[in-house]
Amino acid sequence: MPPKPGLRSLIEAKAIRESVVANRPFPRWRDAKCLLDELISKDSETCPILVAGSTSFDFPAGTAMEDACQYIGTMLREVPGIALITGGMPGVGVSVGKAFASPTSLLFHVLPERCRIADPAEGLTMHLGHSFPERQSILGMATRIVCLIGGGP
């Protein structure tokens, strides 16, 4: 089945607009396209959702946040047509991804090239961008919905 015409054209239009506005080079858009092509090859009707947030649960409310991540991942797995994309870091992204993972789910983790963090066990890990800021740009280009849980590192 061919991809939705709206998804690809929306991504390409967004790529050109943001690349000009942010003065970013197009190679980052090629990386975002690699992610989208992989996603579309698995299911052309899917909606990519990015889940990101804290990289650890090592604080007083951490247990409650970890439980919330498990709940959110399980809940998202029940919604048809979703591809979950994370930044591949320990904490929120990997925890939600682990709860989301099933034999039929589309789960992608995106880490920077030459990143020394171990790839998550579930899902497909892609290495895109030379740094974490570039990886963040790629994730922003490739998703329409972002779910932020907690804060930074």
Side-chain angles (χ1 to χ4, degrees), residues 101-119:
S102 75
T104 59
S105 64
L106 294 175
L107 173 60
F108 298 86
H109 302 285
V110 180
L111 287 165
E113 299 164 357
R114 298 182 294 266
C115 181
R116 293 192 176 124
I117 296 170
D119 291 354

Side-chain angles (χ1 to χ4, degrees), residues 60-102:
T63 303
M65 183 181 291
E66 191 167 9
D67 292 344
C69 288
Q70 296 296 317
Y71 177 75
I72 290 168
T74 303
M75 181 183 68
L76 288 173
R77 184 179 61 221
E78 301 302 319
V79 179
I82 288 180
L84 186 69
I85 301 172
T86 80
M89 298 292 291
V92 167
V94 171
S95 182
V96 173
K98 189 180 289 187
F100 178 80
S102 75

Side-chain angles (χ1 to χ4, degrees), residues 3-47:
K4 286 183 181 178
L7 178 62
R8 186 168 298 276
S9 61
L10 175 75
I11 298 300
E12 289 171 355
K14 183 178 177 185
I16 293 167
R17 184 188 78 236
E18 289 191 18
S19 193
V20 170
V21 170
N23 197 23
R24 290 191 193 113
F26 275 101
R28 295 296 65 116
W29 291 107
R30 281 188 231 124
D31 287 342
K33 183 180 180 306
C34 286
L35 174 59
L36 288 167
D37 286 344
E38 183 68 31
L39 190 145
I40 289 170
S41 75
K42 306 276 187 217
D43 182 354
S44 64
E45 297 294 311
T46 193
C47 175

